[in-house]
Amino acid sequence: MSYEIAVIEGDGIGHEVVPAAIDVLDALDVEFEFVEAEAGDAVAAETGDPLPQSTYDLAADADATLFGAAGETAADVILPLREAVGSFVNVRPAKAYPGVDAVRPETDVVFLRENTEGVYAGHEDRLSEDLSTLTRVVTSSASRELAEFACEFVEDGRGPDHGDGFTVAHKANVMRETDGRFREELLSVADERGVDADEELMDAFATKLPLDPGQYGVVVCPNLAGDVLSDLAAGLVGGLGLLPSANIGHDNALFEPVHGTAPDIAGEGVANPTAAILSAAMLVEFLGHVEEGQQIRDAVESVLSDGPRTGDLGGNATTEEVTAAVVERL
């Protein structure tokens, strides 16, 4: 069976790390058909549209999408692409690896972030020269859908080894109607399914995570909180160059590194491809090839432990050299 993968490099180092991920996928005993499309700042400058309809349609129809990064047009690209694949949850693992100089080497946390609502729902208005508003959207249906996914995630053993439930990070003590609804639905579904679930105010979580990350395994968050807190966790494990992510829908998904375009090093061939390669591992697993996904992770961990490494991890290797090392391990 051949899988059609939409490939959208985007801007900046997306042109370097996405090809690296494809090299790794090509090394597997799985058949892929890669179909390239454009999105981001460059195509916006050329056509006036950062996300052409043809790119949106390709992502919607493909078996999965591998995306690099977008610059100033990021919100105009990634939010519609997540809609195109029907994504309702963003999965972001933050794990410290052997050989990486991590602030907290015991860190192994997976963030499950609601992916359609909250303050990212897009309801903003400039009402006057003095006043702008932002409407926060939380529904019981989306919250329960996330909760069901979180329960299945921990029941299937996809979370870190040190936990069998999840933590709900919220701010329901202040946002009583929105985060209150989110909290109630998450805890209610967990109780119905017999899954252990505790809760933490997100500001307290932001303090406790750096002090003792080992107390957390799977963390379920509203949209903005998941975005911010997962980036906080990145600082504990060695930086954003190590963090993959998956935007999961019921029948489709989009996979992207978390690091962005990194314009300061774009085009120099020194970008760390680890996050993009690990995103490819998540893509393979989504398609049902769990063993091959683990093979990619094992190869990446071997390279991170023994080298070569890119400059952000204290080495001097190029993107191509690190990619070649991962392929060789495979």
Side-chain angles (χ1 to χ4, degrees), residues 221-276:
C221 308
N223 208 331
L224 175 60
D227 195 0
V228 173
L229 295 174
S230 60
D231 278 14
L232 171 65
L236 304 180
V237 302
L240 289 171
L242 297 171
L243 263 64
S245 75
N247 300 279
I248 302 294
H250 293 289
D251 303 306
N252 201 343
L254 180 146
F255 302 84
E256 57 173 327
V258 178
H259 51 55
T261 60
D264 55 325
I265 60 169
E268 297 181 9
V270 297
N272 186 348
T274 299

Side-chain angles (χ1 to χ4, degrees), residues 7-15 36-56 65-81 254 256 260-261:
V7 177
I8 308 170
E9 295 180 1
D11 301 309
I13 62 171
H15 295 296
E36 296 186 3
E38 294 184 327
D41 295 358
V43 68
E46 181 179 345
T47 69
D49 187 355
L51 183 65
Q53 186 64 42
S54 58
T55 301
Y56 181 98
T65 297
L66 185 61
F67 175 66
E72 296 297 322
T73 58
D76 300 312
V77 173
I78 192 60
L79 296 182
L81 281 177
L254 180 146
E256 57 173 327
T261 60

Side-chain angles (χ1 to χ4, degrees), residues 73-297:
T73 58
D76 300 312
V77 173
I78 192 60
L79 296 182
L81 281 177
R82 289 172 179 166
E83 176 189 88
V85 302
S87 172
F88 62 90
V89 57
N90 181 269
V91 183
R92 287 193 180 187
K95 180 179 179 180
Y97 295 100
V100 176
D101 186 18
V103 174
R104 289 294 186 184
E106 69 272 31
T107 305
D108 188 4
V109 183
V110 178
F111 291 87
L112 304 181
R113 163 188 167 193
E114 201 288 318
N115 218 23
T116 65
E117 299 186 333
V119 296
Y120 287 179
H123 301 295
E124 286 190 275
D125 292 290
R126 184 182 293 266
L127 300 180
S128 72
E129 292 183 1
D130 183 57
L131 175 64
S132 295
T133 62
L134 172 62
T135 300
R136 191 167 192 263
V137 177
V138 176
T139 65
S140 293
S141 55
S143 300
R144 291 186 70 86
E145 187 172 41
L146 175 63
E148 296 285 357
F149 181 91
C151 289
E152 292 172 6
F153 192 87
V154 298
E155 287 169 346
D156 293 345
R158 287 182 280 167
D161 292 338
H162 56 269
D164 55 2
F166 60 80
T167 299
V168 182
H170 61 80
K171 194 63 177 168
N173 60 327
V174 175
M175 295 180 285
R176 296 173 183 172
E177 289 301 323
T178 50
D179 263 25
R181 181 184 294 270
F182 179 84
R183 169 191 174 275
E184 290 167 9
E185 298 296 350
L186 265 293
L187 297 179
S188 175
V189 171
D191 182 63
E192 292 167 9
R193 297 186 57 146
V195 172
D196 291 336
D198 57 13
E199 57 183 306
E200 194 83 80
L201 293 176
M202 64 178 70
D203 46 353
F205 177 88
T207 297
K208 294 179 179 181
L209 179 69
L211 295 175
D212 182 16
Q215 65 184 301
Y216 299 109
V218 176
V219 182
V220 187
C221 308
N223 208 331
L224 175 60
D227 195 0
V228 173
L229 295 174
S230 60
D231 278 14
L232 171 65
L236 304 180
V237 302
L240 289 171
L242 297 171
L243 263 64
S245 75
N247 300 279
I248 302 294
H250 293 289
D251 303 306
N252 201 343
L254 180 146
F255 302 84
E256 57 173 327
V258 178
H259 51 55
T261 60
D264 55 325
I265 60 169
E268 297 181 9
V270 297
N272 186 348
T274 299
I277 293 172
L278 290 174
S279 296
M282 299 177 79
L283 181 154
V284 170
E285 290 175 335
F286 173 77
L287 295 175
H289 297 274
V290 176
E291 181 178 346
E292 287 82 354
Q294 188 58 51
Q295 288 172 356
I296 294 176
R297 285 199 182 85

